[in-house]
Amino acid sequence: MPKPAPVPYTDRTDAVPRHVAIIMDGNGRWAKKRHLPRIAGHKQGVEAVRRISRAARDMGVEVLTLYAFSSENWRRPEAEVRDLMGLLRRFLKNEVEELIAEEVRLRVIGDYRALSDDLVAMIEDVTERTRDATGATLVIALNYGSQAEILRATRSLAERVASGALSAQAIDEQVFEAELATHDLPPLDLLIRTSGEQRLSNFLLWQAAYAELVFVDTLWPDFDAATLGDALATYAGRHRRFGGL
């Protein structure tokens, strides 16, 4: 299979974002348009994960963070949640050897320990086996909610202040970020949401403060290397001012 075309050249030295995050939306609508059960859309969504994680590496993205299961997704029907967890098991089982071969580090953010014991064991096995990989990083957000992440960081800092281990005056952006699940990752450069929706849905709220946002109409199962390349080209064409001129 040929590699995707490279992102178009610009004169910016940071034309390719180091860290890209994607809100993968539209699996259900993809299935509905084809008169298929929702699980069919989720299965195609897993194929898109495989396709895009490879394409991102080929395009030079160092970190790809995917919003796989939010803390709010537990509100979905029990059968759908069960199907999603089954797909996660299959993904971890089928992809581990490729991740190792490609030197890809798997990271999981969110309260994944609230999942079933067998899934927790699988996640910790794959993350441990890929921990020392020297290539790209694939981050999966599972049972993740950004507001809960921020609250946990706040409580942790409050406990340190109460114990005398930290001065309240010493808390700045860097100290706060060190408490977040993404503390060991590069800053978020680009956040993409598929399916035409234009909201963050409790995803990486702190981290996205100065990220470039790209919203595309493509449903996640149809998202491909060309669509990713277009999003990266949009990013490359923007002037990132970070509050300056």
Side-chain angles (χ1 to χ4, degrees):
M1 178 179 177
K3 289 187 175 182
V7 176
Y9 172 80
T10 76
D11 58 1
R12 278 178 42 193
T13 58
D14 62 342
V16 178
R18 295 183 64 196
H19 186 177
V20 175
I22 305 179
I23 300 174
M24 306 178 292
D25 196 13
N27 291 348
R29 276 167 283 173
W30 184 94
K32 185 176 181 180
K33 284 175 61 176
R34 291 160 177 79
H35 305 288
L36 296 170
R38 288 177 63 85
I39 185 60
H42 293 313
K43 287 179 178 177
Q44 289 301 312
V46 172
E47 292 305 313
V49 168
R50 293 190 178 100
R51 183 167 64 241
I52 296 308
S53 61
R54 293 165 187 160
R57 296 198 298 270
D58 290 338
M59 293 178 183
V61 175
E62 293 179 30
V63 178
L64 177 66
T65 299
L66 302 176
Y67 203 10
F69 191 86
S70 77
S71 51
E72 290 78 28
N73 286 156
W74 294 108
R75 301 171 187 167
R76 294 189 178 189
E78 183 179 346
E80 182 172 352
V81 171
R82 186 169 59 248
D83 287 340
L84 288 168
M85 294 302 148
L87 290 173
L88 175 59
R89 287 185 185 88
R90 189 178 308 171
F91 176 82
L92 292 169
K93 180 179 179 181
N94 294 342
E95 296 302 304
V96 60
E97 297 304 330
E98 178 172 336
L99 293 175
I100 293 171
E102 294 292 323
E103 284 287 335
V104 177
R105 179 175 66 130
L106 180 70
R107 285 266 282 103
V108 174
I109 61 173
D111 186 16
Y112 73 88
R113 291 184 178 87
L115 305 181
S116 63
D117 291 345
D118 69 309
L119 262 176
V120 171
M122 291 181 73
I123 290 167
E124 293 183 345
D125 176 65
V126 177
T127 53
E128 177 60 27
R129 292 174 67 185
T130 62
R131 182 170 56 90
D132 297 323
T134 57
T137 298
L138 175 63
V139 183
I140 305 294
L142 290 172
N143 196 24
Y144 173 86
S146 188
Q147 290 176 332
E149 177 188 33
I150 291 169
L151 283 173
R152 280 193 297 271
T154 303
R155 290 191 189 106
S156 176
L157 291 172
E159 289 169 359
R160 290 169 61 190
V161 170
S163 71
L166 179 69
S167 163
Q169 289 71 31
I171 300 174
D172 57 14
E173 289 89 343
Q174 290 71 35
V175 171
F176 190 86
E177 286 174 356
E179 297 289 334
L180 299 176
T182 54
H183 64 90
D184 59 342
L185 301 174
L188 181 62
D189 295 312
L190 171 63
L191 191 152
I192 303 166
R193 182 168 187 147
T194 64
S195 86
E197 302 292 348
Q198 298 187 15
R199 56 182 179 271
L200 297 183
S201 296
N202 199 18
F203 184 51
L204 300 179
L205 301 179
W206 175 280
Q207 296 86 341
Y210 279 102
E212 296 297 318
L213 307 181
V214 172
F215 300 103
V216 299
D217 291 332
T218 307
L219 300 175
W220 175 247
D222 292 327
F223 198 88
D224 58 15
T227 318
L228 177 63
D230 288 344
L232 266 60
T234 297
Y235 169 86
R238 292 184 181 175
H239 176 50
R240 304 186 74 193
R241 292 183 290 273
F242 297 99
L245 298 180

